Amino acid sequence: MGSVKSFGPLVSADWLRAHLSDPGLRVIDFRWYMDGRSGPEAYRRGHIPGAVFVDLDGEVTGRRPGEGRHPLPERDAFERVMRRAGVGAEDAVVVYDDMNGYSAARMWWMLRHFGVERAALLDGGLPAWGAPLEQEEAHPPEGNFTATEPAPGTALSYEEMRSIGSDQVLIDARGAERFRGDEEPVDPRPGHIPGARNAPWQGNVDAEGRFRDPAELRERFAGLGINDPGRVVVYCGSGVTACHDLLALELAGLGGARLYPGSWSEWSGHPDAPAATGEGE
């Protein structure tokens, strides 16, 4: 499967077909929907052969009231889920969904966050894969993956966000309507963090749902004033689609931006946290 450096952050459907039976490869189905559809049911209707379903609403989301809808899991909880998914210490992991990386990017980011060096997203997801699909639930042997302690500063808390410096660039990955505050279907208040700039995650992919060319992505982020990824913090509604922007930044050669996992769902739940509406910067 190549070296650590040559693997990911994307793989194509053709690559996955060629390597699907490799013993050191694990595939995770990470479908999740905000509109009430069921990820587990979608998995049961048909998934990539051998893929294991992992539920965003399960143990890979922490249960800490007040920290937003999808807090990061504790290290040992993530390790436990990955072992059940068959992930071994030296394995490469490919994750997919059926919505252009909408939710799968969050799993890609968490894999990297907890020490899986060879983690990749299936570019184009399930539509790019096509067939064959299987309906039988996969039960691989338990893996021996050991999650590492995340590097400090890669994920910011609410308190850290409240004290963030004016030299930092905040990127909001939600759609323009929610960013402007025209609508807010799930969180306590409409709007965005003052000073944030809007980079909807959907803009990272083309009409076929595949990530845009790195040069296009660099141009996109340059237009938002991003030239030093070390000064960039990305958020969204609950820290899910923000990871799509983080993956796109890495593809653009701008890796190193940070995530605010609590995102708007946490920020807007604090009555004293300032909020802005409109187009922003």
Side-chain angles (χ1 to χ4, degrees), residues 187-211:
D187 292 322
R189 290 185 284 157
H192 58 265
I193 299 174
R197 306 167 191 182
N198 193 205
W201 69 272
Q202 298 94 329
N204 298 323
V205 298
D206 62 21
E208 295 183 339
R210 291 173 173 79
F211 275 83

Side-chain angles (χ1 to χ4, degrees), residues 13-56:
D14 287 343
W15 184 95
L16 186 56
R17 290 180 193 281
H19 294 274
L20 191 60
S21 61
D22 287 3
L25 180 71
R26 293 288 175 260
V27 181
I28 291 175
D29 184 315
F30 202 62
R31 281 179 276 183
W32 180 81
Y33 310 98
M34 201 169 73
D35 59 9
R37 285 179 290 163
S38 167
E41 179 58 32
Y43 172 80
R44 288 190 290 269
R45 285 197 302 268
H47 53 268
I48 292 175
V52 174
F53 182 77
V54 175
D55 192 351
L56 176 61

Side-chain angles (χ1 to χ4, degrees), residues 102 105-106 109 171-174 201 204 233-249 258-261 263:
Y102 164 78
R106 166 69 175 241
W109 187 89
I171 298 297
D172 187 319
R174 295 175 299 165
W201 69 272
N204 298 323
V233 180
V234 187
Y235 76 94
C236 57
S238 63
V240 176
T241 57
C243 297
H244 203 283
D245 274 7
L246 290 168
L247 195 156
L249 282 162
R258 292 158 291 162
L259 175 68
Y260 171 33
S263 287

Side-chain angles (χ1 to χ4, degrees), residues 32-173:
W32 180 81
Y33 310 98
M34 201 169 73
D35 59 9
R37 285 179 290 163
S38 167
E41 179 58 32
Y43 172 80
R44 288 190 290 269
R45 285 197 302 268
H47 53 268
I48 292 175
V52 174
F53 182 77
V54 175
D55 192 351
L56 176 61
D57 289 326
E59 293 178 78
V60 292
T61 287
R63 295 290 180 264
R64 296 184 296 278
E67 293 188 22
R69 287 181 280 114
H70 294 108
L72 293 180
E74 300 297 334
R75 184 191 62 79
D76 59 345
F78 188 80
E79 176 180 290
R80 187 165 55 248
V81 175
M82 290 302 98
R83 288 186 174 191
R84 285 204 302 263
V87 177
E90 303 299 325
D91 286 349
V93 183
V94 173
V95 59
Y96 72 89
D97 60 32
D98 58 4
M99 293 179 62
N100 307 335
Y102 164 78
S103 53
R106 166 69 175 241
M107 175 55 75
W108 167 83
W109 187 89
M110 288 193 296
L111 286 163
R112 296 275 293 270
H113 186 62
F114 288 109
V116 178
E117 294 182 298
R118 294 194 295 174
L121 183 143
L122 175 60
D123 199 16
L126 199 59
W129 172 265
L133 298 178
E134 68 179 21
Q135 295 179 320
E136 183 178 354
E137 186 174 349
H139 294 284
E142 183 161 325
N144 63 351
F145 166 67
T146 299
T148 60
E149 198 63 38
T154 53
L156 302 186
S157 68
Y158 171 76
E159 289 74 19
E160 289 170 320
M161 290 294 294
R162 287 303 302 262
S163 61
I164 200 167
S166 59
D167 62 330
Q168 303 297 296
V169 179
L170 301 183
I171 298 297
D172 187 319

